[in-house]
Amino acid sequence: MARLARQRALPTVVGLQARSDPAILYARDLVQGGYIGEVLTANLTTVAQAVLQRGPGRIWQGVRANGANTLTIAGGHAIDAFCAVLGEFVELSARVSTRIPEWQTQDGKPVPVDAPDSISVVGRMASSAEVSVNVAAVPSNPGGNRMEIYGREGALVIRADGSLNIGPSQVHAGKGKEPMASMPVPSKYKVAPEGTPAGPAYNVAQAYARAADALRGGGSFDVDFNLAVQRHKLIDAIERSSATGRSVRVDPT
C-alpha cells in the first residue's frame, strides 16, 4: 500500500496521533534545536491498565497472532512518540513476554492468553544515543507514561498520566545544574480547532489539522503509510530479538 501510494503520489494518513501531541512536537523541536545538547541517553516507561475481563469485542486481543496487544497498541503509540522526539532505532535487544496468561469473559469463563503484556528494549538510536524502553500492562495502579532524555547540557522529561497517544502531556526541563522546571507548551503547537475536547479526541484533531495544513501546501506531514511501515519494521525487530535472544539491526528507513 505504501509503495502504491508513492507511485501514484497519493497523500496518506495513519493513526499515530501521539506525535501530533503539542508536548511531543515541542519536545522534538527542543531536542533538534540543541536545547539540551547532544542526547546521551534516554528512557521511556509506559505502564497501562490491564483489562482482564472482556466482552466479545475485545477478548480476541488475548491471541498474540491477532496482532492487537500491549506491544502493538500502547507500546506502538508510545514508542512512536519516543522516535518522533529522538529519531529512529538502528539496533536493539528485546524481551517480550506474557505475565498474565489468563483473562475472563464477561460471564467469568477463563480464557488462555498469549498476547504479550511485558516488553523491555535496550538499543541505540541513529544519533548514537543509548536508550531503554519498558512497556507493560498491570492490574493495579498503572504509572502512565514518562520519557526522560539526558543531554550534555541538560535534561528533558515528558510525562502523561494516561496514554501518550491520548495526552495531555507535560514537559519539564533543566539546563546545567538548574533544577527541573515546567516548560509550558507554546500556543503555536496547538493547532486543533478551538473547543476540541480534551481526551482521546484532542490528539486526533491535532493530527487532522496538521494533515489538512500539509494538503493545503502549508508544510510536510510524515504520519503516513511510510511511517506505518517503518514502525512495523521496528515492532518486528523487537519480536525477532526476543525470539532469538540476540541483538538485531533495524532498518531506519
Side-chain angles (χ1 to χ4, degrees), residues 118-185:
S118 181
I119 301 97
S120 299
V121 181
V122 294
R124 179 169 53 87
M125 311 301 273
S127 66
S128 296
E130 296 288 337
V131 303
S132 64
V133 174
N134 179 253
V135 178
V138 299
S140 177
N141 296 293
N145 292 263
R146 184 179 179 91
M147 193 186 306
E148 299 178 345
I149 305 167
Y150 298 96
R152 287 189 181 275
E153 298 174 17
L156 192 66
V157 173
I158 304 100
R159 186 177 186 278
D161 292 332
S163 173
L164 279 173
N165 64 306
I166 293 175
S169 300
Q170 302 85 40
V171 180
H172 289 75
K175 299 189 71 170
K177 296 186 181 301
E178 297 174 357
M180 299 293 285
S182 175
M183 299 276 286
V185 178

Side-chain angles (χ1 to χ4, degrees), residues 56-158:
R58 290 283 185 242
I59 199 73
W60 60 270
Q61 293 180 338
V63 179
R64 183 173 186 165
N66 289 338
N69 52 60
T70 298
L71 171 59
T72 59
I73 301 176
H77 282 290
I79 291 170
D80 184 64
F82 194 57
C83 292
V85 176
L86 292 174
E88 294 296 324
F89 282 81
V90 294
E91 186 176 7
L92 61 81
S93 297
R95 289 179 60 85
V96 178
S97 61
T98 304
R99 299 291 296 130
I100 304 173
E102 184 180 282
W103 295 348
Q104 291 185 345
T105 63
Q106 288 181 324
D107 59 5
K109 179 182 177 181
V111 176
V113 169
D114 68 351
D117 54 32
S118 181
I119 301 97
S120 299
V121 181
V122 294
R124 179 169 53 87
M125 311 301 273
S127 66
S128 296
E130 296 288 337
V131 303
S132 64
V133 174
N134 179 253
V135 178
V138 299
S140 177
N141 296 293
N145 292 263
R146 184 179 179 91
M147 193 186 306
E148 299 178 345
I149 305 167
Y150 298 96
R152 287 189 181 275
E153 298 174 17
L156 192 66
V157 173
I158 304 100

Side-chain angles (χ1 to χ4, degrees), residues 43 63 204 239 244:
N43 63 77
V63 179
V204 174
E239 293 179 325
T244 62

